Amino acid sequence: MGFQQFKNVNIRGFSACVPKHIESNEDLELLGNAEQIQKFIETTGVKQRHTVKGQNIRTSDMCFTAAQKLIEELNWDKNEIDCLLFVSQTGDYIFPATSCILQDRLGLANDCFTMDISLGCSGWIHGMATIGALMQNGGFKKGILLAGDTSTMTKSPFDKGSYPLFGDAGTATAIEYKEGVEGIKVHTATDGKGHQAIIVPDGGFRNFYSPESEIYIEYEDGSKRNNLQTYMDGAAVFTFGITKGPRSIMSLAEKFDINMENVDFFVFHQANKFMVEKIRKKIKAPVEKVPYSLDEYGNTSCSSIPLTMVTRLSKQLQKDKLNIITCAFGVGLSWGSIYFESEGVVCPEIIMI
């Protein structure tokens, strides 16, 4: 259950885009005095974050920019791109789907299949599973998976448990049908019983916006937020992540007979360093095989895995043949892992707008 292999699916490239604006946690009064700030940085690993604060930049803009660059680097004919998936919790509108808007902005053909997927931290994993299913039989030859969030727009600036962790980013992953390749091996899972562990309570169709939605409430730890901002049960999410993440990786390896010692890199969702280190130790992965990007970019939701590829592994991806396992976990609650082999991946430098 939850295991799939999508053969004939080849990852051709990654690109990423972030806002130019940088917020440093070293200067964030919300975290307290200098000693408290340093402790937060050491525990979470987050020194700074790129955010859309003060800028008219949205998730779709960053994904658009990343996709444009990647398509150009690949020298792909836009008329030959058969599908475009947009994974985000911060689309342009309630409707229409942002993927439709991006199809037009990118100048893709009207025959291009488009779809929005509303997922957060595990979104790249589930997006890859979806696009893999669409492409594995060769009906679609070229596809683009866009994954990103402007997470800081949903966080209270007075919530020290979440605001200092999150940054904003948009990414593009290029996938091409290639007959005979092993493709991607996937594990995905969901536990909706935990959906209230990470939630924006108001503003949807279950709980409409009302003037009361904007009223800030102060909590025991001194944090303040309203019902249009993210509530996160930190303890529950931590336990969930360090339990489900390692199990997903180990079960994926067992199911598909993957030798963990032959894996070159384990790329995790960049939740926070303390959590990721717990997972790394549980699966006994060497330190040098687990790259981090959260020191510069923070937790960038569903874009964190491809963002880490671009900023930490671009040279290796472009010149080496690699075996990679990725793992993500978060809102939903949802989680999953992917194993893939890469060679000659196009990976342009990160773009800032």
Side-chain angles (χ1 to χ4, degrees):
M1 294 292 289
F3 297 102
Q4 299 175 88
Q5 179 173 4
F6 303 112
K7 294 189 175 184
N8 308 319
V9 174
N10 189 38
I11 296 176
R12 292 282 289 111
F14 298 104
S15 63
C17 176
V18 295
K20 288 180 180 178
H21 180 259
I22 295 173
E23 292 188 48
S24 171
N25 281 342
E26 293 179 334
D27 304 323
L28 195 62
E29 293 181 4
L30 175 68
L31 292 172
N33 59 36
E35 184 179 341
Q36 291 169 320
I37 289 172
Q38 193 56 40
K39 183 178 180 181
F40 175 89
I41 291 172
E42 288 176 1
T43 302
T44 65
V46 183
K47 295 179 181 178
Q48 65 175 46
R49 299 158 290 112
H50 289 252
T51 74
V52 298
K53 185 177 182 180
Q55 302 171 90
N56 189 27
I57 298 169
R58 298 297 179 258
T59 306
S60 63
D61 300 320
M62 293 184 288
C63 286
F64 167 79
T65 303
Q68 279 276 61
K69 181 63 175 177
L70 188 54
I71 292 167
E72 178 185 321
E73 293 275 330
L74 288 165
N75 198 28
W76 275 9
D77 182 342
K78 290 185 178 181
N79 290 316
E80 294 179 353
I81 296 174
D82 301 304
C83 56
L84 179 148
L85 274 62
F86 176 71
V87 184
S88 181
Q89 295 178 129
T90 50
D92 286 350
Y93 306 103
I94 293 177
F95 55 81
T98 305
S99 57
C100 297
I101 298 168
L102 286 165
Q103 172 271 332
D104 176 60
R105 288 185 67 183
L106 287 166
L108 307 186
N110 292 148
D111 288 336
C112 180
F113 176 92
T114 65
M115 175 187 288
D116 279 21
I117 298 175
S118 177
L119 275 175
C121 300
S122 69
W124 187 81
I125 300 287
H126 288 255
M128 284 294 295
T130 304
I131 204 166
L134 288 169
M135 296 184 66
Q136 64 175 333
N137 294 323
F140 294 159
K141 302 294 186 185
K142 293 178 180 177
I144 296 285
L145 173 66
L146 304 179
D149 267 314
T150 45
S151 297
T152 59
M153 296 184 71
T154 69
K155 304 296 180 288
S156 166
F158 310 110
D159 187 347
K160 60 185 177 182
S162 63
Y163 184 80
L165 288 172
F166 287 86
D168 303 322
T171 65
T173 305
I175 301 97
E176 192 168 34
Y177 176 81
K178 185 177 180 181
E179 195 163 347
V181 299
E182 283 294 298
I184 59 175
K185 297 169 181 176
V186 183
H187 172 251
T188 53
T190 306
D191 182 5
K193 290 193 300 294
H195 74 276
Q196 291 189 347
I198 312 172
I199 191 170
V200 175
D202 291 3
F205 291 103
R206 175 66 61 185
N207 298 317
F208 279 123
Y209 165 84
S210 70
E212 288 74 24
S213 301
E214 296 190 48
I215 297 173
Y216 276 88
I217 300 170
E218 186 168 350
Y219 294 87
E220 290 181 3
D221 64 352
S223 294
K224 293 187 289 184
R225 63 179 174 272
N226 63 41
N227 277 354
L228 297 174
Q229 296 166 331
T230 304
Y231 162 77
M232 182 166 64
D233 183 339
V237 172
F238 177 81
T239 301
F240 154 72
I242 65 169
T243 303
K244 300 298 187 182
R247 286 181 185 173
S248 177
I249 293 166
M250 299 307 292
S251 61
L252 181 77
E254 182 179 357
K255 173 68 176 180
F256 293 106
D257 196 25
I258 298 166
N259 186 338
M260 296 278 279
E261 293 183 2
N262 291 337
V263 175
D264 296 295
F265 293 103
F266 297 86
V267 184
F268 297 114
H269 164 56
Q270 303 288 289
N272 67 69
K273 190 171 183 179
F274 187 63
M275 183 182 292
V276 174
E277 278 296 292
K278 286 281 188 181
I279 297 170
R280 180 188 68 78
K281 291 172 183 177
K282 281 193 172 188
I283 65 168
K284 299 179 181 178
V287 174
E288 63 273 14
K289 289 188 176 185
V290 180
Y292 284 95
S293 63
L294 53 77
D295 56 329
E296 284 189 74
Y297 304 100
N299 179 340
T300 56
S301 186
C302 59
S303 62
S304 71
I305 289 174
L307 177 66
T308 303
M309 299 278 193
V310 169
T311 59
R312 299 297 182 260
L313 298 179
S314 63
K315 290 182 180 178
Q316 296 94 322
L317 285 163
Q318 291 178 82
K319 68 182 180 68
D320 299 331
K321 185 174 182 179
L322 301 175
N323 301 320
I324 295 175
I325 285 180
T326 65
C327 178
F329 35 86
V331 64
L333 294 168
S334 59
W335 66 99
S337 301
I338 291 179
Y339 171 83
F340 67 93
E341 298 173 4
S342 72
E343 186 172 14
V345 172
V346 172
C347 199
E349 290 186 2
I350 192 166
I351 307 162
M352 298 188 190
I353 59 174

